[in-house]
Amino acid sequence: MELLLSEEEIQKRVKDLALEISKDYKGVSPVLIGILRGSFVFLSDLIRHLTILPEIDFMSVSSYNTLTKSSGVVRILKDLERDIGGENVIVVEDIVDTGLTLTYISRLLMARLPRSLKICALLDKRERREVDIQIDYVGFVIPNKFVIGYGLDLAEKYRNLPYVATLEESEIGEPEENTP
Ligand code: IMP
Ligand code: MG
């Protein structure tokens, strides 16, 4: 395990992002949609630095993933509680990797006719992108390594770390690779 982003770096960047969003949405009450579970740490820090009054809702999706790869097929496990028709929506995600999950979610939300829809992601693993997707607010562009901490997990563990660290292949233990 190797430290990639320290707690201090993350906190500073999250505060800056919040100020940028507050400026862009001055006089508007956006609806922030946290994609569970990975985004909950980021979202909760982000909203505490906003100088506007957002509403918060959550959506839980499961992508049919192997341990570390996304398939882009997404199933809604928990839908929004509220209608977003006519609202200014900001989707808050922990990390954009291939971009498949967010592409799917954006399409689904656009069909509900929000007034606007923007995307805010803490981490952008740009090298791995398979579909072109615009991310309006990016915390950090990171190298193509598997990361954990600050909400991000490996098999549901490590979400509680206050920093982001990279894991080596040998520490991940992808099941396929263990199969003879
Ligand atoms: P995408 O559909 O490939 O963009 O995958 C996005 C989702 O995969 C994220 O919401 C994460 O849940 C997960 N993911 C992608 N990369 C990582 C990583 O490095 N660590 C932990 N989860 C990841
Ligand atoms: Mg996620």
Side-chain angles (χ1 to χ4, degrees):
M1 196 192 296
E2 203 179 314
L3 182 72
L4 181 67
L5 302 166
S6 69
E7 183 173 1
E8 292 71 27
E9 271 177 279
I10 296 171
Q11 291 302 328
K12 183 177 181 306
R13 184 71 188 120
V14 170
K15 187 174 180 185
D16 288 347
L17 277 177
L19 296 180
E20 196 183 332
I21 292 171
S22 301
K23 214 168 91 201
D24 293 352
Y25 287 81
K26 202 164 183 231
V28 181
S29 288
V31 180
L32 267 57
I33 298 180
I35 308 301
L36 294 172
R37 286 179 289 261
S39 73
F40 79 102
V41 179
F42 173 40
L43 181 71
S44 56
D45 279 343
L46 185 76
I47 58 172
R48 281 178 285 179
H49 291 294
L50 292 174
T51 59
I52 49 173
L53 286 176
E55 290 182 38
I56 315 292
D57 204 346
F58 291 97
M59 188 171 211
S60 177
V61 300
S62 99
S63 15
Y64 292 94
N65 289 347
T66 64
L67 212 48
T68 58
K69 286 190 198 77
S70 163
S71 66
V73 182
V74 175
R75 192 160 55 97
I76 299 182
L77 300 180
K78 181 210 167 292
D79 205 339
L80 300 175
E81 308 268 325
R82 52 159 308 145
D83 179 20
I84 54 162
E87 300 290 343
N88 295 288
V89 171
I90 307 175
V91 176
V92 180
E93 194 32 320
D94 51 357
I95 183 167
V96 187
D97 186 22
T98 62
L100 292 166
T101 306
L102 264 183
T103 300
Y104 191 96
I105 292 173
S106 307
R107 280 207 197 118
L108 198 116
L109 295 179
M110 282 308 284
R112 300 177 187 182
L113 306 178
R115 183 184 168 94
S116 65
L117 187 138
K118 287 196 180 186
I119 293 173
C120 172
L122 178 72
L123 306 175
D124 180 357
K125 226 191 264 181
R126 213 162 269 181
E127 269 175 63
R128 297 242 315 159
R129 204 60 41 80
E130 285 176 23
V131 283
D132 197 19
I133 179 163
Q134 185 188 333
I135 312 171
D136 304 280
Y137 303 100
V138 177
F140 301 91
V141 175
I142 62 163
N144 181 11
K145 294 238 171 106
F146 193 79
V147 290
I148 46 141
Y150 200 71
L152 290 119
D153 73 308
L154 172 68
E156 295 307 323
K157 297 240 165 56
Y158 306 112
R159 292 194 197 274
N160 59 308
L161 301 178
Y163 51 85
V164 171
T166 58
L167 289 183
E168 294 303 324
E169 297 261 319
S170 59
E171 296 173 292
I172 297 171
E174 185 97 39
E176 306 156 330
E177 291 168 5
N178 295 337
T179 316

